[in-house]
Amino acid sequence: MSLTLAQMVVLFLGPLVLATMVAVVLWLTHERESDRLKRAEADRAIWLKYQDERKVPGE
């Protein structure tokens, strides 16, 4: 079974294109450490505010 030139090109470029697409998605969606820390601080502030609002008087 011999492959045609077009089949060889597709077999070579297919995985390369797939890997490139995955790399681009990961690059676009990754989060910097500073962004992660800011989000963690905001989440904590929201959680503390929520806990404060739920406190029953007298506790």
Side-chain angles (χ1 to χ4, degrees):
M1 178 179 105
S2 65
L3 297 174
T4 65
L5 180 61
Q7 289 172 326
M8 286 189 281
V9 168
V10 168
L11 286 173
F12 176 74
L13 291 181
L16 192 62
V17 169
L18 181 62
T20 304
M21 290 182 350
V22 169
V24 166
V25 167
L26 290 175
W27 177 66
L28 290 174
T29 59
H30 90 285
E31 194 176 25
R32 289 194 303 271
E33 185 67 24
S34 61
D35 295 340
R36 194 169 17 251
L37 290 174
K38 287 178 189 173
R39 186 169 44 85
E41 289 174 10
D43 287 347
R44 177 150 175 79
I46 291 169
W47 174 246
L48 291 175
K49 182 179 176 186
Y50 170 78
Q51 283 183 323
D52 193 41
E53 289 172 354
R54 291 202 31 127
K55 278 188 180 174
V56 177
E59 280 190 13

